[in-house]
Amino acid sequence: MGPAAASGSPAAKRTPVWVVVAISVVFGLFYAYALWNALAFLIAQASGPLGLNGYGWFVLLLAVVFPVGVFGAAFALSWRRPAWQFALVLFTGLCVVAVFWLNVIAYAAVYGASLLG
């Protein structure tokens, strides 16, 4: 063991790659669920009798893309941190995705006619 590893440097405290992959896969499944849920809602709304207008497409496509962006940002911000911090950042991002999805559903329920063509 070299002096850098013995002194408690950041390289000595780095989370093993397999732990990062395991945490990413577990949280990635939840993010994927949010993405597929948004995609299913988009397809259901678009294939309805009235279809969607431009604003409806924008809102519902944003709901599909948003989980991917949040997962990417959370991963990029925290993959070099300790495992518990990495998991906490991914969980926080998942909470943000859930709040955004609830806002989309609430908007669709209250102002649904403005989304339809």
Side-chain angles (χ1 to χ4, degrees):
M1 209 185 271
S7 66
S9 67
K13 294 180 183 178
R14 183 161 291 164
T15 305
V17 174
W18 70 270
V19 174
V20 172
V21 170
I23 293 171
S24 299
V25 166
V26 168
F27 278 99
L29 290 172
F30 289 111
Y31 281 93
Y33 178 76
L35 183 141
W36 285 111
N37 199 15
L39 187 63
F41 187 69
L42 170 68
I43 291 169
Q45 293 297 316
S47 64
L50 297 177
L52 290 173
N53 62 15
Y55 186 64
W57 279 103
F58 172 74
V59 169
L60 296 180
L61 279 175
L62 186 61
V64 171
V65 175
F66 192 69
V68 176
V70 172
F71 179 78
F75 185 88
L77 287 172
S78 62
W79 70 278
R80 292 185 179 175
R81 297 190 179 273
W84 69 272
Q85 290 178 357
F86 179 56
L88 185 64
V89 171
L90 287 175
F91 180 72
T92 304
L94 191 60
C95 291
V96 170
V97 168
V99 167
F100 182 75
W101 178 243
L102 286 175
N103 286 333
V104 168
I105 293 297
Y107 185 80
V110 174
Y111 300 106
S114 67
L115 294 175
L116 300 175

